[in-house]
Amino acid sequence: MRDVAVLIPTLRRPAMLERALRSVFAQVGSLDRIAAVVVADNDPDGSASAVVERLRGEAPVPLTYAHAPVPGVATARNVGLAATDAPLIAFLDDDEAASPGWLAALLRAQAQTGAEVLFGPIRGRVPEGTGWTTAYLERFFGRDGPAKTGLTDQIHGCGNSLMVRATALPGDAPFDTAMNETGGEDDRLFTALQARGGRFGWAADAWVDEFAPPDRATLNYALLRAFAYGQSPSQMAAARRDWPDVARWMLIGAAQTAVWGLASLILALLRRPARAEALDRTARGLGKVFWTKGLEPKLYGAAMLRKAA
Protein backbone atom coordinates (compact mmCIF):
# COMPACT_ATOMS: atom_id res chain seq x y z
CA MET A 1 0.00 0.00 0.00
CA ARG A 2 1.67 3.19 -1.21
CA ASP A 3 0.13 5.80 1.07
CA VAL A 4 3.02 8.16 1.92
CA ALA A 5 4.55 11.04 -0.01
CA VAL A 6 7.90 12.43 1.07
CA LEU A 7 7.97 16.18 0.37
CA ILE A 8 11.30 18.01 0.04
CA PRO A 9 11.21 21.79 -0.56
CA THR A 10 14.44 23.11 -2.03
CA LEU A 11 16.01 26.39 -3.13
CA ARG A 12 19.31 26.36 -5.05
CA ARG A 13 21.01 23.64 -3.02
CA PRO A 14 21.69 20.93 -5.63
CA ALA A 15 24.30 18.98 -3.64
CA MET A 16 22.22 19.04 -0.46
CA LEU A 17 19.09 18.06 -2.40
CA GLU A 18 20.88 15.07 -3.90
CA ARG A 19 22.04 13.95 -0.46
CA ALA A 20 18.49 14.27 0.90
CA LEU A 21 17.03 12.33 -2.03
CA ARG A 22 19.58 9.54 -1.81
CA SER A 23 18.83 9.18 1.91
CA VAL A 24 15.17 8.59 1.03
CA PHE A 25 16.12 6.09 -1.69
CA ALA A 26 18.07 4.16 1.00
CA GLN A 27 15.11 3.75 3.37
CA VAL A 28 14.68 0.30 4.89
CA GLY A 29 11.31 -1.27 5.64
CA SER A 30 9.20 1.51 4.13
CA LEU A 31 9.92 1.87 0.39
CA ASP A 32 6.77 -0.10 -0.41
CA ARG A 33 4.75 2.60 1.39
CA ILE A 34 6.14 5.55 -0.63
CA ALA A 35 3.71 6.74 -3.32
CA ALA A 36 6.06 9.54 -4.41
CA VAL A 37 9.02 11.65 -3.41
CA VAL A 38 8.02 15.20 -4.33
CA VAL A 39 10.71 17.83 -4.89
CA ALA A 40 9.15 21.28 -4.57
CA ASP A 41 11.63 23.53 -6.39
CA ASN A 42 11.38 27.07 -5.02
CA ASP A 43 13.89 28.54 -7.46
CA PRO A 44 12.22 30.81 -10.07
CA ASP A 45 14.75 29.41 -12.57
CA GLY A 46 13.80 25.79 -11.82
CA SER A 47 17.38 24.75 -11.07
CA ALA A 48 16.44 21.58 -9.17
CA SER A 49 14.90 19.96 -12.26
CA ALA A 50 18.34 18.87 -13.45
CA VAL A 51 19.01 17.00 -10.20
CA VAL A 52 15.60 15.31 -10.33
CA GLU A 53 16.00 14.23 -13.95
CA ARG A 54 19.49 12.89 -13.34
CA LEU A 55 18.35 10.78 -10.38
CA ARG A 56 14.99 9.68 -11.75
CA GLY A 57 16.37 6.58 -13.45
CA GLU A 58 17.93 5.19 -10.28
CA ALA A 59 15.13 6.13 -7.89
CA PRO A 60 13.50 3.02 -6.34
CA VAL A 61 10.26 4.99 -5.85
CA PRO A 62 8.32 7.47 -8.04
CA LEU A 63 10.08 10.84 -8.15
CA THR A 64 7.93 13.94 -8.82
CA TYR A 65 9.13 17.42 -9.70
CA ALA A 66 6.90 20.36 -8.74
CA HIS A 67 7.94 23.90 -9.63
CA ALA A 68 7.06 26.60 -7.05
CA PRO A 69 8.53 29.71 -8.73
CA VAL A 70 7.31 32.22 -6.12
CA PRO A 71 10.06 32.05 -3.46
CA GLY A 72 8.91 31.10 0.03
CA VAL A 73 8.89 27.86 1.99
CA ALA A 74 5.12 28.06 2.64
CA THR A 75 4.49 28.36 -1.10
CA ALA A 76 6.88 25.48 -1.81
CA ARG A 77 5.13 23.20 0.67
CA ASN A 78 1.70 24.08 -0.71
CA VAL A 79 2.82 23.40 -4.28
CA GLY A 80 4.40 20.11 -3.21
CA LEU A 81 1.18 19.04 -1.51
CA ALA A 82 -0.78 19.83 -4.67
CA ALA A 83 1.43 17.40 -6.61
CA THR A 84 0.32 14.35 -4.61
CA ASP A 85 -2.88 12.93 -3.18
CA ALA A 86 -1.15 10.67 -0.64
CA PRO A 87 -3.00 10.54 2.71
CA LEU A 88 0.25 10.69 4.72
CA ILE A 89 2.89 13.37 4.14
CA ALA A 90 6.48 13.14 5.42
CA PHE A 91 8.48 16.38 5.35
CA LEU A 92 12.25 16.37 4.92
CA ASP A 93 14.24 19.58 4.41
CA ASP A 94 16.81 19.77 1.63
CA ASP A 95 19.62 20.29 4.17
CA GLU A 96 18.69 17.06 5.98
CA ALA A 97 19.65 13.42 5.40
CA ALA A 98 17.41 10.69 6.78
CA SER A 99 18.72 7.62 8.58
CA PRO A 100 17.78 4.31 6.87
CA GLY A 101 15.00 3.60 9.36
CA TRP A 102 13.61 7.15 9.42
CA LEU A 103 10.33 6.76 7.61
CA ALA A 104 9.58 3.33 9.09
CA ALA A 105 10.03 4.81 12.57
CA LEU A 106 7.66 7.70 11.81
CA LEU A 107 5.03 5.28 10.46
CA ARG A 108 5.33 3.00 13.49
CA ALA A 109 4.97 5.98 15.81
CA GLN A 110 1.86 7.17 13.98
CA ALA A 111 0.27 3.71 14.23
CA GLN A 112 1.20 3.50 17.92
CA THR A 113 0.02 6.96 18.98
CA GLY A 114 -2.69 7.84 16.49
CA ALA A 115 -1.23 11.37 16.40
CA GLU A 116 -2.01 13.71 13.51
CA VAL A 117 1.58 15.01 13.49
CA LEU A 118 4.77 13.12 14.40
CA PHE A 119 8.18 14.69 14.97
CA GLY A 120 11.57 12.99 15.07
CA PRO A 121 15.01 13.85 16.51
CA ILE A 122 17.66 15.75 14.57
CA ARG A 123 21.46 15.72 14.86
CA GLY A 124 22.85 19.16 14.04
CA ARG A 125 25.97 19.16 11.86
CA VAL A 126 28.09 22.26 11.28
CA PRO A 127 31.17 22.87 9.12
CA GLU A 128 34.65 22.91 10.59
CA GLY A 129 35.92 26.22 11.86
CA THR A 130 32.98 27.27 14.05
CA GLY A 131 35.28 27.33 17.10
CA TRP A 132 33.81 27.95 20.53
CA THR A 133 30.27 28.13 19.10
CA THR A 134 30.36 24.58 17.69
CA ALA A 135 28.52 22.81 20.52
CA TYR A 136 25.87 25.54 20.66
CA LEU A 137 25.33 25.51 16.88
CA GLU A 138 25.02 21.72 16.82
CA ARG A 139 22.31 21.97 19.48
CA PHE A 140 20.65 24.87 17.69
CA PHE A 141 20.34 23.03 14.39
CA GLY A 142 19.44 19.78 16.16
CA ARG A 143 16.33 18.62 17.98
CA ASP A 144 16.03 16.64 21.20
CA GLY A 145 13.04 14.87 22.66
CA PRO A 146 11.91 11.98 24.86
CA ALA A 147 13.87 8.74 24.81
CA LYS A 148 10.70 6.78 24.00
CA THR A 149 8.07 7.13 21.30
CA GLY A 150 4.72 8.50 22.45
CA LEU A 151 2.36 11.47 22.50
CA THR A 152 3.85 14.87 23.29
CA ASP A 153 2.73 18.42 24.03
CA GLN A 154 5.88 19.82 22.43
CA ILE A 155 5.51 21.36 18.95
CA HIS A 156 8.48 21.47 16.57
CA GLY A 157 9.12 22.55 12.97
CA CYS A 158 8.10 20.74 9.78
CA GLY A 159 11.52 19.33 8.95
CA ASN A 160 11.52 15.64 9.95
CA SER A 161 7.80 15.18 10.47
CA LEU A 162 4.91 12.99 9.34
CA MET A 163 1.37 14.37 9.04
CA VAL A 164 -2.05 12.89 8.48
CA ARG A 165 -3.23 14.98 5.57
CA ALA A 166 -6.98 14.93 6.25
CA THR A 167 -6.68 16.41 9.73
CA ALA A 168 -3.30 18.15 9.94
CA LEU A 169 -3.22 19.75 6.48
CA PRO A 170 -6.71 21.08 5.75
CA GLY A 171 -7.57 22.82 2.49
CA ASP A 172 -5.66 23.28 -0.74
CA ALA A 173 -3.02 25.59 0.76
CA PRO A 174 -2.64 24.88 4.49
CA PHE A 175 0.60 26.85 4.89
CA ASP A 176 0.22 30.63 5.24
CA THR A 177 2.13 32.27 2.38
CA ALA A 178 2.13 35.60 4.22
CA MET A 179 5.03 34.06 6.18
CA ASN A 180 7.09 33.11 3.13
CA GLU A 181 10.08 35.25 4.12
CA THR A 182 9.78 35.26 7.90
CA GLY A 183 9.00 31.59 8.60
CA GLY A 184 6.63 30.50 11.34
CA GLU A 185 4.04 29.08 8.94
CA ASP A 186 4.40 25.69 10.60
CA ASP A 187 3.86 27.23 14.06
CA ARG A 188 0.62 28.77 12.80
CA LEU A 189 -0.51 25.49 11.26
CA PHE A 190 0.23 23.48 14.41
CA THR A 191 -1.28 26.05 16.76
CA ALA A 192 -4.54 25.87 14.80
CA LEU A 193 -4.43 22.06 14.92
CA GLN A 194 -3.82 22.14 18.66
CA ALA A 195 -6.84 24.42 19.09
CA ARG A 196 -8.95 21.84 17.21
CA GLY A 197 -7.85 19.13 19.63
CA GLY A 198 -5.18 17.62 17.39
CA ARG A 199 -2.58 15.29 18.81
CA PHE A 200 1.19 15.43 18.40
CA GLY A 201 3.61 12.53 18.72
CA TRP A 202 7.33 11.91 19.07
CA ALA A 203 9.09 9.19 17.06
CA ALA A 204 12.24 8.56 19.08
CA ASP A 205 13.96 6.44 16.39
CA ALA A 206 13.20 8.66 13.36
CA TRP A 207 16.65 10.23 13.15
CA VAL A 208 17.85 12.70 10.55
CA ASP A 209 21.06 14.73 10.29
CA GLU A 210 20.76 18.44 9.48
CA PHE A 211 23.79 19.99 7.78
CA ALA A 212 23.98 23.74 8.37
CA PRO A 213 25.62 25.48 5.37
CA PRO A 214 28.52 27.85 6.14
CA ASP A 215 26.42 31.00 5.71
CA ARG A 216 24.01 29.78 8.40
CA ALA A 217 26.47 28.13 10.78
CA THR A 218 27.25 31.42 12.53
CA LEU A 219 26.31 32.85 15.90
CA ASN A 220 24.75 35.94 14.28
CA TYR A 221 22.43 33.86 12.09
CA ALA A 222 21.42 31.58 14.96
CA LEU A 223 20.63 34.54 17.23
CA LEU A 224 18.54 36.17 14.51
CA ARG A 225 16.53 32.96 14.17
CA ALA A 226 16.28 32.67 17.95
CA PHE A 227 14.77 36.17 18.01
CA ALA A 228 12.25 35.07 15.37
CA TYR A 229 11.41 31.93 17.37
CA GLY A 230 10.84 34.12 20.41
CA GLN A 231 8.35 36.26 18.48
CA SER A 232 6.11 33.29 17.73
CA PRO A 233 4.10 32.91 20.98
CA SER A 234 3.35 36.64 21.13
CA GLN A 235 2.38 36.67 17.45
CA MET A 236 0.15 33.60 17.80
CA ALA A 237 -1.63 35.22 20.75
CA ALA A 238 -2.09 38.42 18.74
CA ALA A 239 -3.51 36.43 15.81
CA ARG A 240 -6.15 35.10 18.24
CA ARG A 241 -6.72 38.67 19.50
CA ASP A 242 -5.94 37.36 22.96
CA TRP A 243 -4.39 40.58 24.24
CA PRO A 244 -4.02 39.42 27.87
CA ASP A 245 -1.95 36.50 26.58
CA VAL A 246 0.12 38.87 24.43
CA ALA A 247 0.84 40.94 27.54
CA ARG A 248 1.73 37.79 29.47
CA TRP A 249 4.22 36.69 26.82
CA MET A 250 5.73 40.17 26.67
CA LEU A 251 6.25 40.16 30.44
CA ILE A 252 7.83 36.71 30.23
CA GLY A 253 10.07 37.97 27.44
CA ALA A 254 11.11 41.05 29.41
CA ALA A 255 12.07 38.87 32.38
CA GLN A 256 14.01 36.46 30.15
CA THR A 257 15.83 39.36 28.52
CA ALA A 258 16.85 40.83 31.89
CA VAL A 259 18.00 37.55 33.44
CA TRP A 260 19.73 36.05 30.43
CA GLY A 261 21.12 39.37 29.24
CA LEU A 262 22.95 39.75 32.55
CA ALA A 263 24.07 36.11 32.42
CA SER A 264 25.41 36.52 28.88
CA LEU A 265 27.37 39.63 29.91
CA ILE A 266 28.99 37.81 32.83
CA LEU A 267 29.79 34.75 30.72
CA ALA A 268 31.21 36.95 27.96
CA LEU A 269 33.52 38.66 30.44
CA LEU A 270 34.65 35.22 31.61
CA ARG A 271 34.94 34.08 27.96
CA ARG A 272 32.86 30.98 28.62
CA PRO A 273 31.38 29.09 25.63
CA ALA A 274 28.08 28.97 27.56
CA ARG A 275 27.60 32.62 26.63
CA ALA A 276 26.20 31.50 23.27
CA GLU A 277 23.32 29.70 24.96
CA ALA A 278 22.70 32.71 27.23
CA LEU A 279 22.65 35.03 24.21
CA ASP A 280 20.19 32.66 22.53
CA ARG A 281 17.81 32.87 25.50
CA THR A 282 18.20 36.64 25.56
CA ALA A 283 17.30 36.84 21.87
CA ARG A 284 14.20 34.69 22.41
CA GLY A 285 13.16 36.95 25.26
CA LEU A 286 13.58 40.04 23.10
CA GLY A 287 11.49 38.41 20.39
CA LYS A 288 8.56 38.01 22.77
CA VAL A 289 8.72 41.74 23.54
CA PHE A 290 9.37 43.05 20.01
CA TRP A 291 6.95 40.87 18.06
CA THR A 292 4.96 43.33 15.95
CA LYS A 293 4.72 43.37 12.17
CA GLY A 294 7.74 44.89 10.48
CA LEU A 295 10.16 43.60 13.13
CA GLU A 296 10.26 40.02 11.85
CA PRO A 297 13.66 38.98 10.48
CA LYS A 298 13.40 37.99 6.80
CA LEU A 299 15.41 34.81 6.42
CA TYR A 300 13.68 32.69 3.78
CA GLY A 301 12.36 32.68 0.22
CA ALA A 302 13.02 35.91 -1.65
CA ALA A 303 15.28 37.07 1.19
CA MET A 304 17.58 34.12 0.50
CA LEU A 305 17.69 34.99 -3.20
CA ARG A 306 18.47 38.64 -2.48
CA LYS A 307 21.30 37.60 -0.19
CA ALA A 308 22.76 35.30 -2.83
CA ALA A 309 22.55 37.93 -5.58
Side-chain angles (χ1 to χ4, degrees):
M1 175 177 62
R2 295 189 179 273
D3 58 348
V4 186
V6 179
L7 200 162
I8 306 176
T10 189
L11 177 57
R12 294 185 181 175
R13 289 173 169 176
M16 287 186 165
L17 174 61
E18 180 169 348
R19 177 172 56 203
L21 284 169
R22 290 190 181 280
S23 76
V24 177
F25 298 165
Q27 290 301 292
V28 175
S30 60
L31 286 178
D32 60 343
R33 297 282 300 273
I34 298 178
V37 178
V38 180
V39 174
D41 184 2
N42 209 202
D43 182 2
D45 298 330
S47 59
S49 61
V51 177
V52 172
E53 288 307 314
R54 179 163 53 82
L55 296 181
R56 194 184 298 281
E58 61 185 274
V61 291
L63 188 55
T64 300
Y65 175 81
H67 192 200
V70 177
V73 66
T75 293
R77 289 183 177 132
N78 287 337
V79 168
L81 286 170
T84 177
D85 59 1
L88 296 172
I89 306 293
F91 288 92
L92 188 71
D93 289 342
D94 64 354
D95 57 1
E96 294 177 335
S99 62
W102 166 70
L103 185 57
L106 284 172
L107 291 168
R108 284 195 306 272
Q110 200 285 320
Q112 175 183 328
T113 64
E116 284 83 4
V117 178
L118 283 302
F119 303 107
I122 298 172
R123 278 181 290 258
R125 307 290 195 188
V126 298
E128 293 183 3
T130 51
W132 65 271
T133 64
T134 298
Y136 161 72
L137 291 171
E138 287 177 342
R139 288 193 299 273
F140 181 85
F141 289 103
R143 179 195 292 167
D144 291 326
K148 293 184 179 180
T149 293
L151 291 173
T152 181
D153 294 327
Q154 186 69 38
I155 294 175
H156 301 281
C158 265
N160 188 10
S161 68
L162 177 73
M163 303 188 202
V164 178
R165 184 171 193 153
T167 49
L169 297 162
D172 295 332
F175 292 99
D176 188 349
T177 57
M179 309 181 88
N180 263 341
E181 290 192 60
T182 61
E185 74 292 333
D186 41 10
D187 283 344
R188 182 160 294 184
L189 180 79
F190 297 147
T191 300
L193 175 61
Q194 193 173 47
R196 298 194 303 270
R199 293 165 297 174
F200 299 87
W202 177 257
D205 298 322
W207 281 96
V208 306
D209 290 308
E210 180 168 327
F211 297 86
D215 64 316
R216 292 191 175 193
T218 68
L219 181 61
N220 285 345
Y221 176 84
L223 293 180
L224 198 59
R225 259 179 61 174
F227 176 82
Y229 291 156
Q231 290 180 313
S232 184
S234 298
Q235 289 173 340
M236 294 302 104
R240 299 191 304 271
R241 297 187 178 277
D242 187 347
W243 304 116
D245 203 34
V246 172
R248 182 177 71 87
W249 280 115
M250 291 179 71
L251 286 171
I252 291 171
Q256 288 177 332
T257 301
V259 171
W260 289 106
L262 178 60
S264 62
L265 176 61
I266 294 170
L267 291 168
L269 290 172
L270 296 174
R271 301 187 63 81
R272 299 286 177 83
R275 66 188 183 273
E277 192 69 45
L279 286 167
D280 180 292
R281 291 173 182 261
T282 304
R284 291 173 195 251
L286 284 169
K288 293 179 180 68
V289 177
F290 300 102
W291 57 270
T292 53
K293 190 172 181 60
L295 296 178
E296 309 101 326
K298 294 183 177 180
L299 301 170
Y300 307 101
M304 292 174 64
L305 294 181
R306 287 195 297 270
K307 184 177 180 180

